[in-house]
Amino acid sequence: MSTQTTIYDNARPQPDKVLRDISEYVHNYKIDSPLALKTARLCLLDTLGCGLEGLKYQQCANLAGPVVPGTIVPNGVRVPGTNHILDPVRGAFSIGTIIRWLDFNDCWLAAEWGHPSDNLGGILAVADWMTRTAKAEGSGKVFKIKDVLEAMIKAHEIQGILALENSFNKVGLDHVVLVKVATTAVVSKMLGLSYEQTIDALSQAFVDGQSLRTYRHAPNTMSRKSWAAGDAVSRAVNLALIVKGGEQGMPSVLTAKTWGFYDVLFKGKEFKFQRGYGSYVMENVLFKISFPAEFHAQTAVEAAMTLHETLKAQGKTSDDIASIRIRTQEAGMRIINKSGPLHNYADRDHCIQYMVAIPLIHGRLTADDYSDTIAADPRVDELRAKMECVEEERFTTEYHAPEKRFIGNAVQITLNDGTILEEVEVNYPIGHRKRREEGTPVLLQKFDRHLRGRFGEAQVKMILEKSQEGFEEMDVDDYVNLYVKKD
């Protein structure tokens, strides 16, 4: 009886091209787009505001802070809206968690979905910690706000370009894998890693255990979806620091037969790319301006608000509705089309029927409208039961079209007396680039509102004064200090 021995070739290959391209972009691409920098400023303010608003909710506040209560780290990261002083890994987790808690920060929709401003958790933590350390020790890089904006543009680009043609959700992986990769890339450069070390760090990010989407979908939707990005950015910072300490990488982490990312997690397929890295994603990012709602439902909520006013003008209410037909995109059908009981806040803000019902009943949709108290109103589930949700192929096509990137929804109501109201169709929300001029003042109002929900008038005034265009040369720690919660 003979046995066959497999001998593996142990020659070290050159790093995978995907890793090389990302590292080349991070280290050598110059950000020179005025539009990207202008949008990045809006994105920074909006993202910080979303974090402040998230802290209103005790479950979020409980997650932010040190692992061991009372721990204060020398030259540590300040978490906006709190008094915490943390190490950069825990700081990244805390900032990333408060940013994402309410599902109100920016969005990118393609073959993969995600929220590129999630990366700010790692970027701001590293920039703040390194700046405070440099000032305390008298040497090292002092980061400016412009450095943060440029890192945000690059993190947005890495996450967004990888998302354009590659669906991680279709193999069951959560989109925070891209947050981990993008943050790892940009903080590696910030930490002083070389081109080669950045490749090593990226390989560590891809080999790291990746999150499943289980917590985003029925019947298991729960609040981990609100801290998954915090976990991703904290792991990214940790991995970059490990490589900075001398750890090596795995050059063929993606392409290695049997054991690589493609074979193990991506059904043997290699990543596809629609375009190279530049500043496209930040220039075209989607802001959530009007409603804290999963982005595929934003235009449906806007349509429902319009229909609420139509009903009101006719002297009618949601009680007069017999049926509702919602036309949406394929992605909306997969992510937020739900029937049956909704068990928690996270379940409700990922249900298109719930997000349409609330504005039809109340003429609004706020973060508080996902609470148990509002959800207990029997009219909500009665209205959900009257809804039919179907895919509109045109919306799906325009969703993926590079020149459009629409997120269309249409809502039509039939009343109890048989009257069919005119269907309201909205192709792209106020946060879309095509409505940027209209949306920017409203986005800044949102930032102002979130500041006032956390701070007193004097502190709000100071933050607004320091956040005007031209604040790019301000030291990061000085700007972050403005957001420290004063008892």
PDB file of all heavy atoms in Angstrom, residues 146-177:
ATOM      1  N   LYS A 146      -6.442  69.047   9.069  1.00  0.00           N
ATOM      2  CA  LYS A 146      -6.280  68.698   7.654  1.00  0.00           C
ATOM      3  C   LYS A 146      -5.781  67.272   7.493  1.00  0.00           C
ATOM      4  O   LYS A 146      -6.186  66.557   6.576  1.00  0.00           O
ATOM      5  CB  LYS A 146      -5.333  69.669   6.958  1.00  0.00           C
ATOM      6  CG  LYS A 146      -5.223  69.414   5.457  1.00  0.00           C
ATOM      7  CD  LYS A 146      -4.348  70.421   4.748  1.00  0.00           C
ATOM      8  CE  LYS A 146      -4.310  70.125   3.248  1.00  0.00           C
ATOM      9  NZ  LYS A 146      -3.433  71.072   2.522  1.00  0.00           N
ATOM     10  N   ASP A 147      -4.879  66.832   8.396  1.00  0.00           N
ATOM     11  CA  ASP A 147      -4.391  65.449   8.336  1.00  0.00           C
ATOM     12  C   ASP A 147      -5.540  64.466   8.554  1.00  0.00           C
ATOM     13  O   ASP A 147      -5.601  63.406   7.913  1.00  0.00           O
ATOM     14  CB  ASP A 147      -3.315  65.216   9.401  1.00  0.00           C
ATOM     15  CG  ASP A 147      -2.077  66.065   9.171  1.00  0.00           C
ATOM     16  OD1 ASP A 147      -1.614  66.138   8.022  1.00  0.00           O
ATOM     17  OD2 ASP A 147      -1.581  66.648  10.157  1.00  0.00           O
ATOM     18  N   VAL A 148      -6.439  64.804   9.465  1.00  0.00           N
ATOM     19  CA  VAL A 148      -7.610  63.951   9.723  1.00  0.00           C
ATOM     20  C   VAL A 148      -8.512  63.909   8.496  1.00  0.00           C
ATOM     21  O   VAL A 148      -8.991  62.834   8.092  1.00  0.00           O
ATOM     22  CB  VAL A 148      -8.380  64.448  10.957  1.00  0.00           C
ATOM     23  CG1 VAL A 148      -9.720  63.729  11.098  1.00  0.00           C
ATOM     24  CG2 VAL A 148      -7.543  64.259  12.217  1.00  0.00           C
ATOM     25  N   LEU A 149      -8.746  65.067   7.879  1.00  0.00           N
ATOM     26  CA  LEU A 149      -9.604  65.112   6.691  1.00  0.00           C
ATOM     27  C   LEU A 149      -9.007  64.283   5.557  1.00  0.00           C
ATOM     28  O   LEU A 149      -9.730  63.543   4.873  1.00  0.00           O
ATOM     29  CB  LEU A 149      -9.802  66.560   6.240  1.00  0.00           C
ATOM     30  CG  LEU A 149     -10.464  67.512   7.232  1.00  0.00           C
ATOM     31  CD1 LEU A 149     -10.625  68.896   6.611  1.00  0.00           C
ATOM     32  CD2 LEU A 149     -11.818  66.984   7.700  1.00  0.00           C
ATOM     33  N   GLU A 150      -7.704  64.380   5.345  1.00  0.00           N
ATOM     34  CA  GLU A 150      -7.067  63.606   4.273  1.00  0.00           C
ATOM     35  C   GLU A 150      -7.116  62.116   4.576  1.00  0.00           C
ATOM     36  O   GLU A 150      -7.332  61.298   3.671  1.00  0.00           O
ATOM     37  CB  GLU A 150      -5.631  64.080   4.080  1.00  0.00           C
ATOM     38  CG  GLU A 150      -5.552  65.485   3.480  1.00  0.00           C
ATOM     39  CD  GLU A 150      -4.126  65.961   3.251  1.00  0.00           C
ATOM     40  OE1 GLU A 150      -3.187  65.286   3.736  1.00  0.00           O
ATOM     41  OE2 GLU A 150      -3.948  66.995   2.578  1.00  0.00           O
ATOM     42  N   ALA A 151      -6.931  61.740   5.851  1.00  0.00           N
ATOM     43  CA  ALA A 151      -7.037  60.323   6.223  1.00  0.00           C
ATOM     44  C   ALA A 151      -8.463  59.826   6.021  1.00  0.00           C
ATOM     45  O   ALA A 151      -8.682  58.686   5.573  1.00  0.00           O
ATOM     46  CB  ALA A 151      -6.609  60.135   7.677  1.00  0.00           C
ATOM     47  N   MET A 152      -9.446  60.661   6.331  1.00  0.00           N
ATOM     48  CA  MET A 152     -10.842  60.290   6.102  1.00  0.00           C
ATOM     49  C   MET A 152     -11.115  60.063   4.616  1.00  0.00           C
ATOM     50  O   MET A 152     -11.764  59.078   4.241  1.00  0.00           O
ATOM     51  CB  MET A 152     -11.778  61.380   6.633  1.00  0.00           C
ATOM     52  CG  MET A 152     -11.839  61.480   8.142  1.00  0.00           C
ATOM     53  SD  MET A 152     -12.848  62.893   8.694  1.00  0.00           S
ATOM     54  CE  MET A 152     -14.490  62.356   8.146  1.00  0.00           C
ATOM     55  N   ILE A 153     -10.605  60.959   3.774  1.00  0.00           N
ATOM     56  CA  ILE A 153     -10.815  60.810   2.332  1.00  0.00           C
ATOM     57  C   ILE A 153     -10.236  59.486   1.851  1.00  0.00           C
ATOM     58  O   ILE A 153     -10.869  58.755   1.067  1.00  0.00           O
ATOM     59  CB  ILE A 153     -10.178  61.988   1.571  1.00  0.00           C
ATOM     60  CG1 ILE A 153     -10.940  63.292   1.869  1.00  0.00           C
ATOM     61  CG2 ILE A 153     -10.160  61.733   0.066  1.00  0.00           C
ATOM     62  CD1 ILE A 153     -10.232  64.549   1.396  1.00  0.00           C
ATOM     63  N   LYS A 154      -9.053  59.140   2.327  1.00  0.00           N
ATOM     64  CA  LYS A 154      -8.415  57.892   1.885  1.00  0.00           C
ATOM     65  C   LYS A 154      -9.124  56.668   2.450  1.00  0.00           C
ATOM     66  O   LYS A 154      -9.288  55.656   1.750  1.00  0.00           O
ATOM     67  CB  LYS A 154      -6.937  57.903   2.258  1.00  0.00           C
ATOM     68  CG  LYS A 154      -6.131  58.897   1.423  1.00  0.00           C
ATOM     69  CD  LYS A 154      -4.639  58.794   1.645  1.00  0.00           C
ATOM     70  CE  LYS A 154      -3.901  59.717   0.671  1.00  0.00           C
ATOM     71  NZ  LYS A 154      -2.429  59.621   0.814  1.00  0.00           N
ATOM     72  N   ALA A 155      -9.569  56.734   3.697  1.00  0.00           N
ATOM     73  CA  ALA A 155     -10.316  55.600   4.260  1.00  0.00           C
ATOM     74  C   ALA A 155     -11.643  55.422   3.538  1.00  0.00           C
ATOM     75  O   ALA A 155     -12.051  54.285   3.236  1.00  0.00           O
ATOM     76  CB  ALA A 155     -10.551  55.820   5.755  1.00  0.00           C
ATOM     77  N   HIS A 156     -12.336  56.520   3.269  1.00  0.00           N
ATOM     78  CA  HIS A 156     -13.569  56.451   2.478  1.00  0.00           C
ATOM     79  C   HIS A 156     -13.295  55.775   1.137  1.00  0.00           C
ATOM     80  O   HIS A 156     -14.069  54.913   0.691  1.00  0.00           O
ATOM     81  CB  HIS A 156     -14.116  57.862   2.222  1.00  0.00           C
ATOM     82  CG  HIS A 156     -15.058  58.374   3.247  1.00  0.00           C
ATOM     83  ND1 HIS A 156     -14.699  58.600   4.557  1.00  0.00           N
ATOM     84  CD2 HIS A 156     -16.371  58.751   3.158  1.00  0.00           C
ATOM     85  CE1 HIS A 156     -15.741  59.059   5.227  1.00  0.00           C
ATOM     86  NE2 HIS A 156     -16.770  59.167   4.406  1.00  0.00           N
ATOM     87  N   GLU A 157     -12.201  56.174   0.507  1.00  0.00           N
ATOM     88  CA  GLU A 157     -11.907  55.670  -0.827  1.00  0.00           C
ATOM     89  C   GLU A 157     -11.610  54.177  -0.822  1.00  0.00           C
ATOM     90  O   GLU A 157     -12.117  53.420  -1.660  1.00  0.00           O
ATOM     91  CB  GLU A 157     -10.714  56.443  -1.414  1.00  0.00           C
ATOM     92  CG  GLU A 157     -10.482  56.200  -2.895  1.00  0.00           C
ATOM     93  CD  GLU A 157     -11.508  56.901  -3.782  1.00  0.00           C
ATOM     94  OE1 GLU A 157     -12.432  57.553  -3.248  1.00  0.00           O
ATOM     95  OE2 GLU A 157     -11.369  56.784  -5.020  1.00  0.00           O
ATOM     96  N   ILE A 158     -10.821  53.734   0.129  1.00  0.00           N
ATOM     97  CA  ILE A 158     -10.474  52.307   0.200  1.00  0.00           C
ATOM     98  C   ILE A 158     -11.724  51.470   0.451  1.00  0.00           C
ATOM     99  O   ILE A 158     -11.990  50.483  -0.255  1.00  0.00           O
ATOM    100  CB  ILE A 158      -9.420  52.068   1.298  1.00  0.00           C
ATOM    101  CG1 ILE A 158      -8.100  52.748   0.917  1.00  0.00           C
ATOM    102  CG2 ILE A 158      -9.200  50.567   1.504  1.00  0.00           C
ATOM    103  CD1 ILE A 158      -7.126  52.895   2.070  1.00  0.00           C
ATOM    104  N   GLN A 159     -12.501  51.852   1.447  1.00  0.00           N
ATOM    105  CA  GLN A 159     -13.723  51.105   1.748  1.00  0.00           C
ATOM    106  C   GLN A 159     -14.684  51.138   0.568  1.00  0.00           C
ATOM    107  O   GLN A 159     -15.245  50.109   0.166  1.00  0.00           O
ATOM    108  CB  GLN A 159     -14.401  51.672   2.996  1.00  0.00           C
ATOM    109  CG  GLN A 159     -15.695  50.936   3.349  1.00  0.00           C
ATOM    110  CD  GLN A 159     -16.300  51.384   4.668  1.00  0.00           C
ATOM    111  OE1 GLN A 159     -15.666  52.099   5.455  1.00  0.00           O
ATOM    112  NE2 GLN A 159     -17.529  50.957   4.933  1.00  0.00           N
ATOM    113  N   GLY A 160     -14.885  52.328   0.004  1.00  0.00           N
ATOM    114  CA  GLY A 160     -15.880  52.485  -1.054  1.00  0.00           C
ATOM    115  C   GLY A 160     -15.502  51.822  -2.361  1.00  0.00           C
ATOM    116  O   GLY A 160     -16.354  51.228  -3.034  1.00  0.00           O
ATOM    117  N   ILE A 161     -14.229  51.892  -2.752  1.00  0.00           N
ATOM    118  CA  ILE A 161     -13.807  51.268  -4.010  1.00  0.00           C
ATOM    119  C   ILE A 161     -13.862  49.749  -3.895  1.00  0.00           C
ATOM    120  O   ILE A 161     -14.284  49.057  -4.836  1.00  0.00           O
ATOM    121  CB  ILE A 161     -12.395  51.741  -4.397  1.00  0.00           C
ATOM    122  CG1 ILE A 161     -12.389  53.239  -4.694  1.00  0.00           C
ATOM    123  CG2 ILE A 161     -11.860  50.957  -5.593  1.00  0.00           C
ATOM    124  CD1 ILE A 161     -13.334  53.683  -5.805  1.00  0.00           C
ATOM    125  N   LEU A 162     -13.457  49.205  -2.760  1.00  0.00           N
ATOM    126  CA  LEU A 162     -13.593  47.755  -2.549  1.00  0.00           C
ATOM    127  C   LEU A 162     -15.055  47.329  -2.573  1.00  0.00           C
ATOM    128  O   LEU A 162     -15.387  46.211  -2.985  1.00  0.00           O
ATOM    129  CB  LEU A 162     -12.959  47.364  -1.215  1.00  0.00           C
ATOM    130  CG  LEU A 162     -11.436  47.233  -1.189  1.00  0.00           C
ATOM    131  CD1 LEU A 162     -10.917  47.170   0.241  1.00  0.00           C
ATOM    132  CD2 LEU A 162     -10.992  45.981  -1.959  1.00  0.00           C
ATOM    133  N   ALA A 163     -15.958  48.226  -2.156  1.00  0.00           N
ATOM    134  CA  ALA A 163     -17.382  47.887  -2.080  1.00  0.00           C
ATOM    135  C   ALA A 163     -18.086  47.939  -3.426  1.00  0.00           C
ATOM    136  O   ALA A 163     -19.140  47.311  -3.587  1.00  0.00           O
ATOM    137  CB  ALA A 163     -18.081  48.842  -1.110  1.00  0.00           C
ATOM    138  N   LEU A 164     -17.529  48.673  -4.387  1.00  0.00           N
ATOM    139  CA  LEU A 164     -18.253  48.898  -5.642  1.00  0.00           C
ATOM    140  C   LEU A 164     -18.651  47.610  -6.350  1.00  0.00           C
ATOM    141  O   LEU A 164     -19.767  47.479  -6.834  1.00  0.00           O
ATOM    142  CB  LEU A 164     -17.405  49.758  -6.587  1.00  0.00           C
ATOM    143  CG  LEU A 164     -17.342  51.251  -6.282  1.00  0.00           C
ATOM    144  CD1 LEU A 164     -16.381  51.942  -7.237  1.00  0.00           C
ATOM    145  CD2 LEU A 164     -18.724  51.893  -6.371  1.00  0.00           C
ATOM    146  N   GLU A 165     -17.737  46.664  -6.430  1.00  0.00           N
ATOM    147  CA  GLU A 165     -17.983  45.453  -7.238  1.00  0.00           C
ATOM    148  C   GLU A 165     -17.944  44.159  -6.423  1.00  0.00           C
ATOM    149  O   GLU A 165     -18.108  43.075  -6.989  1.00  0.00           O
ATOM    150  CB  GLU A 165     -16.937  45.359  -8.361  1.00  0.00           C
ATOM    151  CG  GLU A 165     -16.969  46.508  -9.360  1.00  0.00           C
ATOM    152  CD  GLU A 165     -18.132  46.382 -10.331  1.00  0.00           C
ATOM    153  OE1 GLU A 165     -18.762  45.308 -10.366  1.00  0.00           O
ATOM    154  OE2 GLU A 165     -18.411  47.366 -11.044  1.00  0.00           O
ATOM    155  N   ASN A 166     -17.726  44.263  -5.121  1.00  0.00           N
ATOM    156  CA  ASN A 166     -17.508  43.061  -4.311  1.00  0.00           C
ATOM    157  C   ASN A 166     -18.529  42.974  -3.184  1.00  0.00           C
ATOM    158  O   ASN A 166     -18.530  43.799  -2.274  1.00  0.00           O
ATOM    159  CB  ASN A 166     -16.086  43.081  -3.740  1.00  0.00           C
ATOM    160  CG  ASN A 166     -15.040  43.213  -4.830  1.00  0.00           C
ATOM    161  OD1 ASN A 166     -14.881  42.323  -5.657  1.00  0.00           O
ATOM    162  ND2 ASN A 166     -14.337  44.349  -4.856  1.00  0.00           N
ATOM    163  N   SER A 167     -19.390  41.980  -3.264  1.00  0.00           N
ATOM    164  CA  SER A 167     -20.457  41.825  -2.285  1.00  0.00           C
ATOM    165  C   SER A 167     -20.023  40.861  -1.183  1.00  0.00           C
ATOM    166  O   SER A 167     -19.994  39.646  -1.373  1.00  0.00           O
ATOM    167  CB  SER A 167     -21.727  41.301  -2.960  1.00  0.00           C
ATOM    168  OG  SER A 167     -22.734  41.098  -1.997  1.00  0.00           O
ATOM    169  N   PHE A 168     -19.681  41.401  -0.048  1.00  0.00           N
ATOM    170  CA  PHE A 168     -19.331  40.576   1.102  1.00  0.00           C
ATOM    171  C   PHE A 168     -20.591  40.023   1.754  1.00  0.00           C
ATOM    172  O   PHE A 168     -20.582  38.932   2.316  1.00  0.00           O
ATOM    173  CB  PHE A 168     -18.507  41.403   2.095  1.00  0.00           C
ATOM    174  CG  PHE A 168     -17.166  41.801   1.559  1.00  0.00           C
ATOM    175  CD1 PHE A 168     -17.041  42.898   0.714  1.00  0.00           C
ATOM    176  CD2 PHE A 168     -16.032  41.065   1.860  1.00  0.00           C
ATOM    177  CE1 PHE A 168     -15.806  43.262   0.185  1.00  0.00           C
ATOM    178  CE2 PHE A 168     -14.796  41.411   1.339  1.00  0.00           C
ATOM    179  CZ  PHE A 168     -14.676  42.513   0.496  1.00  0.00           C
ATOM    180  N   ASN A 169     -21.700  40.778   1.651  1.00  0.00           N
ATOM    181  CA  ASN A 169     -22.942  40.310   2.277  1.00  0.00           C
ATOM    182  C   ASN A 169     -23.459  39.029   1.633  1.00  0.00           C
ATOM    183  O   ASN A 169     -24.095  38.217   2.280  1.00  0.00           O
ATOM    184  CB  ASN A 169     -24.004  41.415   2.239  1.00  0.00           C
ATOM    185  CG  ASN A 169     -24.381  41.827   0.833  1.00  0.00           C
ATOM    186  OD1 ASN A 169     -25.180  41.158   0.167  1.00  0.00           O
ATOM    187  ND2 ASN A 169     -23.826  42.938   0.340  1.00  0.00           N
ATOM    188  N   LYS A 170     -23.145  38.833   0.352  1.00  0.00           N
ATOM    189  CA  LYS A 170     -23.647  37.629  -0.328  1.00  0.00           C
ATOM    190  C   LYS A 170     -22.901  36.365   0.083  1.00  0.00           C
ATOM    191  O   LYS A 170     -23.339  35.257  -0.240  1.00  0.00           O
ATOM    192  CB  LYS A 170     -23.603  37.828  -1.840  1.00  0.00           C
ATOM    193  CG  LYS A 170     -24.702  38.776  -2.323  1.00  0.00           C
ATOM    194  CD  LYS A 170     -24.804  38.828  -3.834  1.00  0.00           C
ATOM    195  CE  LYS A 170     -25.984  39.709  -4.261  1.00  0.00           C
ATOM    196  NZ  LYS A 170     -26.106  39.819  -5.734  1.00  0.00           N
ATOM    197  N   VAL A 171     -21.771  36.530   0.779  1.00  0.00           N
ATOM    198  CA  VAL A 171     -21.102  35.355   1.349  1.00  0.00           C
ATOM    199  C   VAL A 171     -21.261  35.356   2.872  1.00  0.00           C
ATOM    200  O   VAL A 171     -20.583  34.604   3.578  1.00  0.00           O
ATOM    201  CB  VAL A 171     -19.611  35.292   0.953  1.00  0.00           C
ATOM    202  CG1 VAL A 171     -19.468  35.103  -0.544  1.00  0.00           C
ATOM    203  CG2 VAL A 171     -18.846  36.524   1.418  1.00  0.00           C
ATOM    204  N   GLY A 172     -22.175  36.214   3.380  1.00  0.00           N
ATOM    205  CA  GLY A 172     -22.504  36.205   4.799  1.00  0.00           C
ATOM    206  C   GLY A 172     -21.627  37.062   5.684  1.00  0.00           C
ATOM    207  O   GLY A 172     -21.779  37.045   6.906  1.00  0.00           O
ATOM    208  N   LEU A 173     -20.706  37.821   5.087  1.00  0.00           N
ATOM    209  CA  LEU A 173     -19.800  38.645   5.887  1.00  0.00           C
ATOM    210  C   LEU A 173     -20.352  40.060   6.037  1.00  0.00           C
ATOM    211  O   LEU A 173     -20.943  40.612   5.117  1.00  0.00           O
ATOM    212  CB  LEU A 173     -18.414  38.704   5.236  1.00  0.00           C
ATOM    213  CG  LEU A 173     -17.669  37.380   5.103  1.00  0.00           C
ATOM    214  CD1 LEU A 173     -16.310  37.613   4.452  1.00  0.00           C
ATOM    215  CD2 LEU A 173     -17.510  36.699   6.454  1.00  0.00           C
ATOM    216  N   ASP A 174     -20.097  40.651   7.189  1.00  0.00           N
ATOM    217  CA  ASP A 174     -20.557  42.004   7.438  1.00  0.00           C
ATOM    218  C   ASP A 174     -19.609  43.006   6.796  1.00  0.00           C
ATOM    219  O   ASP A 174     -18.403  42.765   6.665  1.00  0.00           O
ATOM    220  CB  ASP A 174     -20.627  42.251   8.942  1.00  0.00           C
ATOM    221  CG  ASP A 174     -21.385  43.519   9.285  1.00  0.00           C
ATOM    222  OD1 ASP A 174     -22.209  43.953   8.447  1.00  0.00           O
ATOM    223  OD2 ASP A 174     -21.166  44.069  10.371  1.00  0.00           O
ATOM    224  N   HIS A 175     -20.153  44.159   6.423  1.00  0.00           N
ATOM    225  CA  HIS A 175     -19.357  45.172   5.736  1.00  0.00           C
ATOM    226  C   HIS A 175     -18.264  45.780   6.602  1.00  0.00           C
ATOM    227  O   HIS A 175     -17.372  46.456   6.083  1.00  0.00           O
ATOM    228  CB  HIS A 175     -20.249  46.287   5.186  1.00  0.00           C
ATOM    229  CG  HIS A 175     -21.177  46.902   6.184  1.00  0.00           C
ATOM    230  ND1 HIS A 175     -20.747  47.695   7.230  1.00  0.00           N
ATOM    231  CD2 HIS A 175     -22.523  46.856   6.306  1.00  0.00           C
ATOM    232  CE1 HIS A 175     -21.778  48.108   7.929  1.00  0.00           C
ATOM    233  NE2 HIS A 175     -22.875  47.616   7.394  1.00  0.00           N
ATOM    234  N   VAL A 176     -18.265  45.537   7.913  1.00  0.00           N
ATOM    235  CA  VAL A 176     -17.218  46.119   8.750  1.00  0.00           C
ATOM    236  C   VAL A 176     -15.849  45.520   8.454  1.00  0.00           C
ATOM    237  O   VAL A 176     -14.834  46.071   8.896  1.00  0.00           O
ATOM    238  CB  VAL A 176     -17.546  46.008  10.255  1.00  0.00           C
ATOM    239  CG1 VAL A 176     -18.768  46.848  10.595  1.00  0.00           C
ATOM    240  CG2 VAL A 176     -17.723  44.570  10.691  1.00  0.00           C
ATOM    241  N   VAL A 177     -15.772  44.427   7.691  1.00  0.00           N
ATOM    242  CA  VAL A 177     -14.459  43.952   7.222  1.00  0.00           C
ATOM    243  C   VAL A 177     -13.761  45.060   6.446  1.00  0.00           C
ATOM    244  O   VAL A 177     -12.536  45.220   6.538  1.00  0.00           O
ATOM    245  CB  VAL A 177     -14.597  42.674   6.367  1.00  0.00           C
ATOM    246  CG1 VAL A 177     -15.472  42.897   5.145  1.00  0.00           C
ATOM    247  CG2 VAL A 177     -13.221  42.172   5.918  1.00  0.00           C
TER     248      VAL A 177
END
